[in-house]
Amino acid sequence: MASIRVRKGSNKLFVDFRFMGIRCREITNLVDTPANRKKLEKIIEKMEAELTLGIFDYAKYFPKSDKAQEMVALRDRRACIETDMPAFKEFAALWFSEKEIEWRDTYKRKIQDIIDMYLLPYFASKPLDTIKKTDVLAFRASLAKVTYGKVKKHLSAARINSIMVPLGMILKEAAKRYKFDNPYEDIKSLKQPKVDIQPFTLDEVRRFIEGVREDYRNYYLVRFFTGMRTSEVDGLTWENIDFDRREIVIKQALVKGKIVPPKTQESYRAIAMSPWVYEALQDQYKVTYKRSDYVFCAHTGSPLDYNNVNKQVWHPTLRLLGLKTRNAYQTRHTAATLWLAAGESPEWIASQMGHSTTKMLFNTYSRYVPNMTRRDGSAFEALVNQSQIAQRSTDKETSQ
């Protein structure tokens, strides 16, 4: 039987009861008065009924208790022993060990981080078959309240969906092995806002190339006119530059300081060099070829740190030129939209971007799609040659 007692020195009521054979004492905020004792007695009646039925939720009654997590974990461990059902933490570790052979290192780290940071704190000790759909939905709702950074931003729908993916995979596999209903079934991903692309106009590209630091001019010229991802251009090495065929071969990327395979199978590709990209890489060859394996590198020869480049070059240049603030990934979107504006074939553009089909191209850039007839990059060359960005080549020819 639970009893009501008074804490010495504070005159606050506390509840003295037993849960799973363990004596528990939980303080309340109620001062010892007849009215408060009567109020607490009603709560205790409900507690005792739930204790008898085996459905008592410790954390529900005492959410701020230091003992709540400990008691919940103890209850879950006993449930696992009694039913021979593994806890979520145990099975998640097994699942990860079986799946990691399929993944590249960067994806392994991503999944392990999600498990450690989000899934285990919520589900760790729960027996797998006790996790219900309501638990999964409550977990997802809790993610919407998570904040990060100095400005306390909330997790985006895309980030929440990415966290839910491994949870769904773990529960699906567990349900299959241990023959219980999958609690994740029929739970749909959150709707994500359409990708907000903010490509540069051709005039803005010209202004940026002319206004950026000289030692980064070739770097950004290549980014704007090849559509390469940041990880691809930062991981580009001289062995993958074919001046004879005028191609940039993409077969690796730089992710968190490590060279890894490209993002997808379709990302393995050869990008055609336009004349101004060819010229920029010829200039860069004179600067870094003997100093580093990387086409674009720091003064030490090590690969570029994109965070530093963004802080020290990209954003300051945008501010200096009065251009709209946007992330450097917009250089990739810019290449795609300029190719489309020039009338290049969508199949050719998709191959240059590393897309498997034109579907993503139309989904992302639909409002930039005119009637397209060309298929070899020449229409784009004609468009750019009409602008002042080709003036460098013209000036060189004049001086000779």
Side-chain angles (χ1 to χ4, degrees):
M1 288 286 293
S3 61
I4 300 173
R5 298 179 182 274
V6 181
R7 184 173 182 178
K8 292 179 180 179
S10 70
N11 203 32
K12 294 285 183 69
L13 297 176
F14 71 86
V15 182
D16 191 337
F17 65 104
R18 298 189 75 81
F19 178 58
M20 300 183 67
I22 298 173
R23 185 180 183 185
C24 304
R25 283 171 287 190
E26 292 291 348
I27 191 75
T28 73
N29 290 322
L30 300 175
V31 177
D32 185 14
T33 66
N36 283 340
R37 278 182 174 265
K38 193 170 184 179
K39 181 178 180 181
L40 195 54
E41 282 172 2
K42 289 184 178 180
I43 294 173
I44 287 176
E45 283 181 16
K46 187 177 179 183
M47 276 179 52
E48 288 181 334
E50 292 182 4
L51 285 164
T52 302
L53 294 170
I55 59 173
F56 177 70
D57 186 342
Y58 202 106
K60 175 184 173 183
Y61 281 90
F62 308 107
K64 297 181 180 179
S65 169
D66 294 336
K67 190 176 281 188
Q69 280 192 329
E70 175 189 338
M71 299 308 295
V72 170
L74 176 61
R75 180 200 63 196
D76 290 342
R77 282 198 298 274
R78 289 188 180 180
C80 288
I81 293 170
E82 290 170 3
T83 62
D84 199 29
M85 178 66 63
F88 181 89
K89 181 177 182 179
E90 178 186 339
F91 184 76
L94 173 64
W95 172 83
F96 185 87
S97 68
E98 293 173 345
K99 295 288 289 183
E100 63 177 330
I101 193 172
E102 303 173 15
W103 305 326
R104 62 182 187 178
D105 288 343
T106 51
Y107 192 69
K108 287 181 195 176
R109 289 198 297 271
K110 176 184 175 181
I111 297 298
Q112 189 64 68
D113 286 347
I114 289 174
I115 292 173
D116 293 342
M117 291 174 60
Y118 299 103
L119 305 188
L120 293 187
Y122 199 93
F123 296 105
S125 63
K126 287 183 177 293
L128 289 166
D129 60 347
T130 67
I131 299 173
K132 305 303 179 187
K133 185 174 184 177
T134 52
D135 297 318
V136 176
L137 292 174
F139 169 68
R140 188 174 68 177
S142 73
L143 293 176
K145 300 174 184 176
V146 173
T147 58
Y148 66 95
K150 293 181 180 179
V151 295
K152 300 295 182 182
K153 284 187 176 181
H154 288 275
L155 299 180
S156 66
R159 177 57 175 159
I160 291 174
N161 287 339
S162 72
I163 293 170
M164 296 298 289
V165 166
L167 174 60
M169 294 169 70
I170 291 169
L171 292 177
K172 180 180 179 180
E173 183 60 30
K176 193 185 301 182
R177 292 193 191 188
Y178 297 102
K179 311 299 182 186
F180 60 85
D181 292 336
N182 178 10
Y184 201 93
E185 193 170 354
D186 296 331
I187 293 180
K188 297 180 180 179
S189 298
L190 298 176
K191 288 186 178 180
Q192 298 176 209
K194 194 171 182 179
V195 176
D196 180 25
I197 66 168
Q198 299 175 318
F200 289 65
T201 64
L202 194 54
D203 181 63
E204 288 176 328
V205 174
R206 176 188 60 77
R207 288 174 57 196
F208 189 96
I209 296 300
E210 291 178 354
V212 75
R213 280 169 41 176
E214 179 66 32
D215 52 337
Y216 278 90
R217 189 160 294 162
N218 293 330
Y219 174 73
Y220 283 111
L221 200 151
V222 170
R223 289 195 61 151
F224 273 115
F225 294 119
T226 62
M228 293 170 68
R229 299 179 177 93
T230 301
S231 59
E232 294 170 345
V233 71
D234 289 354
L236 185 64
T237 52
W238 283 113
E239 64 179 353
N240 294 319
I241 300 295
D242 189 335
F243 283 118
D244 293 332
R245 295 175 62 88
R246 296 200 173 207
E247 288 181 342
I248 300 171
V249 181
I250 304 298
K251 59 181 181 181
Q252 64 189 35
L254 184 73
V255 179
K256 294 184 177 180
K258 290 187 176 182
I259 291 294
V260 299
K263 185 178 181 181
T264 63
Q265 190 63 39
E266 293 74 28
S267 296
Y268 289 89
R269 64 197 188 280
I271 300 174
M273 292 184 201
S274 56
W276 43 96
V277 169
Y278 178 83
E279 180 187 323
L281 290 174
Q282 288 278 14
D283 287 346
Q284 192 67 18
Y285 184 88
K286 300 170 186 176
V287 178
T288 62
Y289 179 72
K290 292 183 179 180
R291 180 150 53 95
S292 175
D293 292 333
Y294 293 95
V295 175
F296 303 104
C297 61
H299 68 278
T300 59
S302 58
L304 295 175
D305 181 324
Y306 74 91
N307 283 322
N308 287 339
V309 174
N310 283 343
K311 291 177 183 176
Q312 297 176 15
V313 183
W314 174 259
H315 289 295
T317 303
L318 292 179
R319 289 194 296 269
L320 176 67
L321 299 174
L323 295 172
K324 183 178 179 180
T325 299
R326 62 198 102 176
N327 59 44
Y329 198 81
Q330 299 304 323
T331 58
R332 179 168 164 84
H333 294 316
T334 299
T337 54
L338 290 179
W339 281 327
L340 287 168
E344 298 294 356
S345 159
E347 288 80 10
W348 181 83
I349 298 173
S351 71
Q352 297 297 287
M353 299 284 287
H355 296 164
S356 57
T357 67
T358 58
K359 181 180 178 181
M360 183 180 292
L361 197 69
F362 286 110
N363 286 346
T364 306
Y365 308 109
S366 56
R367 64 193 178 100
Y368 296 92
V369 181
N371 294 323
M372 290 165 284
T373 57
R374 303 303 296 261
R375 62 182 64 249
D376 59 1
S378 58
F380 178 56
E381 290 181 23
L383 174 70
V384 177
N385 280 330
Q386 293 172 12
S387 77
Q388 295 181 29
I389 202 162
Q391 194 64 40
R392 283 179 77 194
S393 299
T394 305
D395 291 344
K396 282 191 175 183
E397 292 175 3
T398 304
S399 63
Q400 293 173 354

